[in-house]
Amino acid sequence: MDRRYSFFLVAFVLVFISMEGSNSKKTPYDAASTHYTVLAPTSTGQERVYCLARGACNGKVLTCPRQCAQRKPKKNKKVKGCFFDCSSKCEVTCKWRKPNCNGYGSLCYDPRFVGGDGVMFYFHGAKDGNFAIVSDKNLHINAHFIGTRPQGRTRDYTWVQALAVMFDTHTLVLAAKRVSQWDDSFDALIVRWDGDVVNIPTDGEAEWRTNSEEREVIVERTEETNGVKVTVAGLVELNVKVRAIGEHENKVHNYQLPADDAFAHLETQFKFTGLTNLVEGVLGQTYRPDYVSPVKRGVAMPMMGGEDKYQTPSLYSPLCNHCRFKGAAGLSSN
């Protein structure tokens, strides 16, 4: 065999093997912070991982510090969790595994937002309405509003009862069940994947995950009931908590809620990856580099308009006057 031919044949085989090794579902997202394998903990109980993501952190072992020794502490309300980032940051941090309602990308209360620019504002929407919270080229998130209008009020009091996260050809729904009396030991959170109800385990890793053709999706419990962290690789992370309106809160704000409905709703904090400069949505617009908040600073309730721009026909529809999502996920229903 000609020596030059042999050389090129060997080179071709090596290139082919290299391409085959990298041609996996996770290729576009294998630098995500969660791309690691879990190792045995240290003798002091500190959890460790072996990083698989490409880049400077590949092959490195990261260890939780003593102050947050576990990724999923059982006493989530009192102990911070250990977060590994195997991306180029290659770091370990201690964080609360719950929404920070004063943090960037948060959506809480009735409903109050903190935008990507750090500015707080209220967006009331409408009772039984659906609005695009984020609408971008590869990601669309709708919120379903519940509410009530007490006698003498000129507008609805509203809360976010459900979120529909649409990407690629999939729809992930997180929703709060309607409950008459709140009991935190009862799991009022509903999770649906492409229309089917998903049961999130409470033991072991206490998580549900799926690898679609495009990316990995993980829903993990951060509390035994009513608290989860959602990761959609390469797009978004959500910390979600279900809560209800208590009797004291009802009286203080004069919501005048009916006796048979505690108005269970979601508190959520978003962390986005790779939004474009043209992102839209009630919250999404605040992540645009040219965005200037129109809300009045210094007032008790700075109001954000935009109902006409962002209202959608249903929780599962990516269609609105300013929506940008082009995927087929919105075709999935209930």
Side-chain angles (χ1 to χ4, degrees), residues 25-40:
K25 295 177 183 178
K26 297 181 183 178
T27 297
Y29 312 109
D30 62 5
S33 61
T34 56
H35 196 194
Y36 55 70
T37 57
V38 179
L39 303 175

Side-chain angles (χ1 to χ4, degrees), residues 254-307:
N254 192 32
Y255 291 139
Q256 300 179 36
L257 299 185
D260 63 345
D261 193 347
F263 275 67
H265 60 279
L266 305 180
E267 290 185 347
T268 309
Q269 186 176 20
F270 301 89
K271 180 181 178 182
F272 301 103
T273 303
L275 293 176
T276 73
N277 291 343
L278 299 177
V279 60
E280 281 285 0
V282 178
L283 178 63
Q285 63 183 331
T286 68
Y287 285 82
R288 297 172 69 136
D290 59 349
Y291 178 75
V292 178
S293 179
V295 302
K296 293 183 179 180
R297 308 288 184 91
V299 299
M301 294 187 69
M303 298 297 300
M304 175 76 76
E307 284 83 353

Side-chain angles (χ1 to χ4, degrees), residues 12 22 28 39 58 95 144 164 191 200 211 229 271 274 285-286:
F12 173 80
S22 64
L39 303 175
N58 179 263
K95 298 180 183 178
H144 176 71
V191 180
I200 312 302
N211 279 290
K229 177 185 177 182
K271 180 181 178 182
Q285 63 183 331
T286 68

Side-chain angles (χ1 to χ4, degrees), residues 214-226:
E214 298 85 5
R215 66 190 81 244
E216 185 174 54
V217 179
I218 306 172
V219 182
E220 56 179 293
R221 290 193 182 273
T222 52
E223 297 187 39
E224 291 186 5
T225 61
N226 300 311

Side-chain angles (χ1 to χ4, degrees), residues 48-116:
R48 304 182 302 152
V49 300
Y50 179 83
C51 290
L52 300 174
R54 296 179 179 183
C57 209
N58 179 263
K60 291 190 176 182
V61 175
L62 301 182
T63 304
C64 293
R66 290 180 180 270
Q67 59 266 37
C68 60
Q70 297 177 315
R71 292 175 299 132
K72 302 175 182 180
K74 293 182 179 180
K75 296 180 179 179
N76 180 64
K77 295 180 180 179
K78 298 181 180 180
V79 180
K80 289 184 178 181
C82 174
F83 283 73
F84 296 105
D85 189 342
C86 285
S87 69
S88 58
K89 291 184 178 180
C90 202
E91 64 181 12
V92 186
T93 53
C94 297
K95 298 180 183 178
W96 293 113
R97 290 168 54 82
K98 60 183 179 181
N100 175 7
C101 288
N102 295 314
Y104 290 89
S106 60
L107 195 181
C108 301
Y109 313 132
D110 56 345
R112 192 193 75 172
F113 293 74
V114 178

Side-chain angles (χ1 to χ4, degrees), residues 114-131:
V114 178
D117 57 352
V119 176
M120 183 268 287
F121 63 90
Y122 287 80
F123 175 84
H124 289 301
K127 174 184 176 182
D128 299 324
N130 301 282
F131 298 89

